[in-house]
Amino acid sequence: MRPIYLDHHATTPVDPAVMEAMRPWFTEEFGNPESPHRFGWAARDAVEAAKAQLAELVGSEPGQVVFTGNATESIDLALTGLAERRGSGHFVTTNFEHPAVLRILERLEARGFGLTVVPVSPEGFVEPRKIAEALRDDTIACSVMAANNEVGTLQPLSEIAALCHDRGVLFHSDSCQAVGHVPLDMEAMGIDLLSLSGHKFYGPKGIGALVLRRQRPRIRLAPQLVGGGQQGGMRSGTVAVPLAVGIGEAARVAGEVMEAETQRLGELRDRLLARLRAGLDIVRVNGSLERRLAHNLSVVFAGVESEAILRELPWLGASAGSACSAHEQEASHVLRALGRTAEEAHATMRFGLGRGTTREEIDTVADTLIELVGRFRSRSPVHSSVRPD
Ligand code: PLP
């Protein structure tokens, strides 16, 4: 079988335009952006242009963009950076954030900071009222993801930001899965700090950014990498110029194609779901189908282990509803947060469609899954006791 990749939440291929834009910056134009000569100036201008492209995509300013290695580092700079700057205080987040947020906040909690983790609804939404109830006088920041990486639900960021600001609390969003896929405007939506990763929207791996909202006084963070004082001292270390050029170009391309891509992938996603439902009697969707990334589908094939499906289909790039932790398979904390049982989580498959996905691929995957899941179920006595909801 020709490989079919439906795992674009894990990572995306580099767009050909991004590859072309990066190419000269590996070879002919190799200067260090800090060097005070022609080679350095060219690199510095390229990095500044990339910051402008990224800022344009998310509604901020080039001077507010800090390049990092990935979203994990951006989130650490935002949250640990705020905590260390303030010295004490409290954070609010939700129970279906990415581990990059949860583990960092738990580490801060172990260092004496307060932490409240707000549960999400069974539909996969953060309820602003619950965030408001969790805010305290000493809350430093609230962190809510823009789009969930497993079920794709889009969160009411503007409403949450407004509630935070009413209490003088900063609002951070891990927007990794949303940037380049849905419109985001930090200024209009009130997002004070936004974390993103290049490889989630057809840019290269190895570069992310923390973007701050333009405001006076400037948001102050304790840098996590110190040394040469690059990027205004916010993140020391030589900027990866080719990767910066790449993420900038990826932002430019995303801005251009986002609307048409959302429309096309939404139709393909709906086609996949409709075909699966027509061919199999129980296909439950995890999370609401409203206010969701158009390219995401997360479904429960009741009574069938998704790991077993994936083992049978090595040519299919998709993901199971479990997270490998060391040696054991743990049910996904996101699906558990939505109230799914461990069995349902283990029967979940996540599909992430992308720029290169075709209708033929969707039909091949749907037909194959209908045949395979049907075969597994006919062998399994469990299935007959599972009722559709
Ligand atoms: N946050 C979310 C929502 C993600 O999906 C991911 C990656 O899967 C990350 C953070 C971490 O991104 P990176 O591995 O690029 O640091």
Side-chain angles (χ1 to χ4, degrees), residues 11 13 22 46 69 94 116 118 141 165 178 235 317 360 376 381:
T11 195
M22 288 195 297
T94 81
T116 303
V118 174
H165 295 162
R235 200 264 194 181
E360 291 65 40
F376 276 139

Side-chain angles (χ1 to χ4, degrees), residues 8 26 32 46 48 50 57 101 104 106 123 152 162 168 182 200 228 230 262 289 311 319 354 365 388:
H8 289 82
F26 284 106
N32 184 324
E48 287 310 310
L57 183 68
V101 168
I104 285 168
E106 285 160 10
E123 295 290 286
V182 292
K200 304 287 190 187
Q230 290 90 339
T262 301
L289 277 171
R311 267 198 304 274
S319 147
V365 170

Side-chain angles (χ1 to χ4, degrees), residues 9-10 70-72 75 98 100 145 147 149 174 176-177 197 199-200:
H9 301 295
N70 48 40
T72 303
I75 295 164
H98 191 273
M145 66 200 330
N149 49 302
D174 165 7
C176 236
Q177 294 288 344
S197 219
H199 71 102
K200 304 287 190 187

Side-chain angles (χ1 to χ4, degrees), residues 8 15 40 59 68 95 145 167 181 196 242 309 322 325-326 354 377:
H8 289 82
D15 188 281
T68 62
N95 64 347
M145 66 200 330
R167 298 286 301 270
H181 301 284
L196 61 90
I309 298 177
S322 49
S325 84
R377 281 178 174 175

